[in-house]
Amino acid sequence: MHRNRRYLMVILVLASAAPAVAELPIPENPLWQPVVDEVYLQEIPTLLSTDRPLTAVAVHDGRTYVGDADGVTLLVGEALKRQKGPNGPVSRLKSLGGALYAAGPGGLWTLTGTGWSKLTDRPVADFCSFRGKIAFASGPRLFAVDGHEVSELTPDEDEEQRKKKDKEPPLLGVAAYSGTLYVHDGKRVGLLEGGQIQFDYIADWGRLEHGCTVRDLLAIGSRLYVATDEGLCVLRGMTWYHIDGDDGLCYEDTTALATGFDRDLWIGTARGAIRRVGDEYQFFGCDRWIPHDRVNAVAAGDRMVCIATDGGLSVIRYEPYTLAKKAAYYERWLEEWGMKRLGLVHILFWVGGQWVREVSDN
C-alpha cells in the first residue's frame, strides 16, 4: 500500500511539473548544436519458423528460394510454397549469370524461364561461376558444365591415379579466386593447378588455422574468405591471416559466408548471424532477428538479407528511416498497446495469476 502511494505521489508531481518544464527558456547561446535527422537504413526483421532445418537460400529475380531435405520452396508472403523441380536434399542455392542453380546429393539443377531442368546426376557439394561455365565439386573431383555438357577439370592420367584419387576425401566447397578454383575438404584448402588439385602449397606467408574445421569459401575482390570453427581465415594473394574475437568477430564458430548488398560481408555462425561493414561487426541473435541459433546459409537481395537456420527463415529488410520516424513508430506502439499512463511508460508483471501494471524507468 505504501509503495502504491509513493508511485502515485511521483506521478502527480511529474504531471504538475510538466507545464513548467515545457516553458523553460532556451539559452541564447546554447553549448549544443542541433543535429540533422538524416535518413539511415533501419533493419526490419520478418521471422518464419519451420519444423525442419533450412539448408540453403538464394535471392533470384527479387524472389527468395529456400532449400531443405525435400527440395526447394519459394517464399510467398509469409509462407514457403513447395516448387516442382529438385527433389531430395538441397544443400546449395545460388543465383549466377541470370539463372538460379540448386545442388545436392541428387545432382545439379537450374531454373530458367521454362522451369527447372537437371544438368547432371552426379552428387554436387558446391558450385560457382568459372570462365563462363558452372564449375562444381563432386566427390574428390572438379567438373564444369556448359549448357548440358559436362567435362572434368581434374582428369586422371591413368588407372592407378584414378584409384588413388577415389580414396581421397570429397571436396565440400569451391570458389573462383585469383584466376583459378579454390576448394576445401573440411580440413584443407587447395587450388586447381595444371589439371590437379594442390593442397600442399598455396601461400608464402601464414597458414590456415591448424586443426580447424572448414565450413565455407567466399571470394570477394582480392580476398578469399574461409569460414571455420575457429573464426575466419583470409587469403590475400599469397598471405594468410586470421580474424577472431580479438578483432571484433562476435562469434568464432562460423558456418556460412555471403556477399551483402552494400559492400558488406555476412557471416553465419552456430549462434547467430554477423554483418561486417568495414571494420565494424553487427550481431543478429536468435529470437529477435533469426528463428534459430544455427545459421546454415545467407543470401542478399536489394536492401534485404535472407538467413536460413535450423529452425526457419529470417528476412531482414533495410528501410529508409529517420529518428523522428522511429520515435513516431514507438509512440504509436505505446498508445495502441496501452503502455503509457500520465506520460509515463508502464511495464507489466504476471503476479498471482494476473497482470500488474507498474511505472518503468524506460
Side-chain angles (χ1 to χ4, degrees):
M1 180 64 69
H2 292 294
R3 186 182 185 188
N4 292 337
R5 288 179 178 174
R6 186 167 63 251
Y7 279 129
L8 180 59
M9 291 178 64
V10 170
I11 293 172
L12 292 175
V13 170
L14 291 176
S16 62
V21 172
E23 295 174 1
L24 288 176
I26 298 178
E28 293 184 3
N29 297 302
L31 298 179
W32 47 266
Q33 293 292 330
V35 176
V36 177
D37 192 3
E38 297 179 344
V39 177
Y40 70 96
L41 294 181
Q42 173 69 50
E43 303 94 338
I44 308 293
T46 300
L47 276 59
L48 175 63
S49 296
T50 60
D51 58 0
R52 62 174 60 194
L54 303 182
T55 52
V57 65
V59 179
H60 178 68
D61 284 344
R63 298 180 177 181
T64 299
Y65 294 84
V66 181
D68 60 19
D70 292 330
V72 175
T73 59
L74 172 65
L75 180 63
V76 181
E78 294 188 9
L80 294 174
K81 303 295 184 182
R82 183 66 57 187
Q83 299 295 288
K84 295 181 179 179
N87 48 43
V90 170
S91 55
R92 294 280 186 177
L93 279 167
K94 295 181 183 179
S95 179
L96 302 173
L100 178 66
Y101 296 87
L108 178 67
W109 295 262
T110 182
L111 175 65
T112 57
T114 57
W116 288 96
S117 61
K118 198 169 190 180
L119 302 178
T120 180
D121 289 322
R122 294 179 179 274
V124 177
D126 195 12
F127 58 92
C128 67
S129 293
F130 181 61
R131 296 178 181 174
K133 302 178 181 180
I134 300 298
F136 65 88
S138 179
R141 304 169 186 274
L142 286 174
F143 297 85
V145 58
D146 187 5
H148 284 74
E149 196 171 313
V150 178
S151 60
E152 186 172 355
L153 298 175
T154 51
D156 301 317
E157 295 179 359
D158 52 40
E159 184 69 14
E160 182 178 349
Q161 188 184 42
R162 185 186 68 80
K163 292 181 179 179
K164 181 180 179 182
K165 186 183 294 182
D166 286 339
K167 295 180 180 179
E168 295 177 355
L171 302 177
L172 303 178
V174 58
Y177 173 68
S178 192
T180 187
L181 292 173
Y182 278 71
V183 298
H184 82 84
D185 62 3
K187 289 296 181 184
R188 304 172 297 171
V189 173
L191 68 131
L192 178 65
E193 185 174 355
Q196 299 298 321
I197 297 173
Q198 306 292 336
F199 284 104
D200 298 330
Y201 175 74
I202 63 172
D204 289 332
W205 296 276
R207 66 174 185 176
L208 188 70
E209 286 295 297
H210 181 69
C212 70
T213 298
V214 180
R215 303 259 178 67
D216 201 8
L217 300 176
L218 178 66
I220 302 180
S222 62
R223 293 169 175 80
L224 178 71
Y225 290 89
V226 181
T228 81
D229 61 343
E230 297 181 12
L232 297 180
C233 291
V234 185
L235 180 65
R236 184 179 185 186
M238 297 294 288
T239 302
W240 281 112
Y241 63 92
H242 189 229
I243 298 175
D244 57 20
D246 292 337
D247 303 297
L249 187 65
C250 311
Y251 197 75
E252 296 181 353
D253 190 358
T254 59
T255 57
L257 298 167
T259 305
F261 60 87
D262 189 21
R263 292 175 292 181
D264 49 337
L265 170 67
W266 281 84
I267 307 158
T269 80
R271 288 194 65 120
I274 301 170
R275 184 191 186 202
R276 179 183 177 182
V277 185
D279 294 327
E280 179 181 290
Y281 293 88
Q282 303 168 358
F283 182 72
F284 297 80
C286 183
D287 294 334
R288 175 65 179 90
W289 297 103
I290 57 178
H292 192 280
D293 276 325
R294 186 173 184 85
V295 174
N296 297 317
V298 184
D302 182 16
R303 290 199 310 206
M304 55 94 75
V305 175
C306 300
I307 304 172
T309 76
D310 268 359
L313 178 71
S314 172
V315 178
I316 302 176
R317 291 180 171 83
Y318 284 74
E319 297 184 8
Y321 256 71
T322 62
L323 293 180
K325 180 179 177 180
K326 190 170 185 177
Y329 168 84
Y330 282 110
E331 287 289 343
R332 179 174 61 83
W333 189 88
L334 291 171
E335 292 290 346
E336 290 179 355
W337 283 79
M339 298 302 296
K340 191 164 63 172
R341 297 283 181 86
L342 297 175
L344 297 176
V345 176
H346 285 224
I347 56 178
L348 295 177
F349 293 98
W350 184 255
V351 179
Q354 62 179 349
W355 290 106
V356 177
R357 185 184 295 272
E358 185 173 296
V359 173
S360 169
D361 60 355
N362 288 307

